Amino acid sequence: MVRQLRLSLERPAAYNRDDFQAGAANAQALAALATWPNWHGGCLVLVGPEGVGKTHLGRVWATETGAAMLERLTPDLAAAAGRPALIEDVDRGAPAEALFHLINMAAREGASLLLTARTPPAAWPAEVPDLRSRLNALPVAEIQEPDDEILEAVLRKFFRQRSIRPTKDVYPYLLRRMERSIPYAREMVMRLDEAADAAGRPVSRALARSVLEGDNQNLDLFP
């Protein structure tokens, strides 16, 4: 019953500006997005590892600009004509000819193109003639792995979404020891939630230690 109640109180994922955790790690990307629509050639590429907020920022930008969100493998060029457009995870593969045309279209009046990827454009394949020079010229804004400020903020958010109030010492303990990524922070909160329910005890530093060590069979050893 407790588990069902906690799950029912979880908030759905939201891509709005207020829910984005700003900090030094993503300051460059935020500053670059703020210069729209004056991007060089109408384009910008957000580059960073998984889970640093590329999708979140891309969706916020798309909502605020009325951008077309194009499918990566089958982008609709007509939908991007004369308006902003977003394509995510371009480095995972996108039609080279379509990408070439989209980059050219972005320089026209009323159009622009935001791309997200884990690797910079210089590392993407370019089978179409002249695409390589286009990719190399794209302006890039990098998002770094989250720092302590951002990680603590997202941990607090994920705990709130599950209606959990951990003890204060949980945050510094996790920040010194956990993998530095937002997906891992989400997974850690989920695991702590499940471990707390299974043991019938609050989320504490001792519980965090047990989960981090993968010692869920010995929860009662820690006061």
Side-chain angles (χ1 to χ4, degrees):
M1 184 64 68
V2 174
R3 180 64 184 166
Q4 291 175 347
L5 176 61
R6 193 172 279 173
L7 282 174
S8 69
L9 292 175
E10 285 188 49
R11 302 172 188 173
Y15 293 118
N16 57 65
R17 188 171 291 277
D18 290 341
D19 282 337
F20 185 79
Q21 305 299 330
N26 50 46
Q28 183 189 87
L30 288 169
L33 286 169
T35 65
W36 179 88
N38 299 316
W39 297 339
H40 176 70
C43 295
L44 179 67
V45 186
L46 295 182
V47 174
E50 179 185 4
V52 294
K54 300 187 299 296
T55 290
H56 196 141
L57 283 179
R59 298 295 178 87
V60 168
W61 176 84
T63 298
E64 293 179 350
T65 63
M69 291 187 283
L70 306 181
E71 295 291 335
R72 174 173 57 86
L73 296 178
T74 56
D76 183 353
L77 271 63
R83 64 181 293 196
L86 166 69
I87 307 181
E88 298 186 74
D89 302 319
V90 180
D91 56 329
R92 294 174 58 187
E97 186 171 350
L99 186 58
F100 176 78
H101 288 303
L102 285 167
I103 293 172
N104 288 339
M105 290 166 58
R108 300 172 187 170
E109 184 176 356
S112 51
L113 180 64
L114 178 64
L115 307 173
T116 72
R118 298 184 191 181
T119 58
W124 304 351
E127 298 89 354
V128 172
D130 296 328
L131 178 58
R132 171 51 56 207
S133 61
R134 300 290 196 283
L135 293 179
N136 290 345
L138 290 177
V140 173
E142 293 190 31
I143 305 179
Q144 306 297 327
E145 291 184 345
D147 54 22
D148 282 358
E149 177 187 9
I150 293 176
L151 275 180
E152 181 171 345
V154 298
L155 282 170
R156 290 183 181 277
K157 181 177 82 169
F158 295 148
F159 279 127
R160 285 197 305 270
Q161 289 174 345
R162 290 176 174 264
S163 300
I164 300 172
R165 293 184 179 180
T167 57
K168 293 182 180 180
D169 55 356
V170 166
Y171 295 105
Y173 185 83
L174 288 176
L175 290 174
R176 288 195 302 269
R177 294 166 174 82
M178 63 180 282
E179 178 184 311
R180 307 194 66 79
S181 76
I182 294 174
Y184 187 84
R186 182 184 293 108
E187 178 189 349
M188 177 54 58
V189 169
M190 179 191 71
R191 291 171 61 195
L192 285 168
D193 188 8
E194 293 174 346
D197 278 351
R201 44 193 305 189
V203 174
S204 64
R205 179 183 180 278
L207 187 72
R209 173 187 170 188
S210 179
V211 170
L212 279 172
E213 293 178 350
D215 194 18
N216 289 325
Q217 294 180 350
N218 296 310
L219 292 178
D220 292 336
L221 293 180
F222 301 105

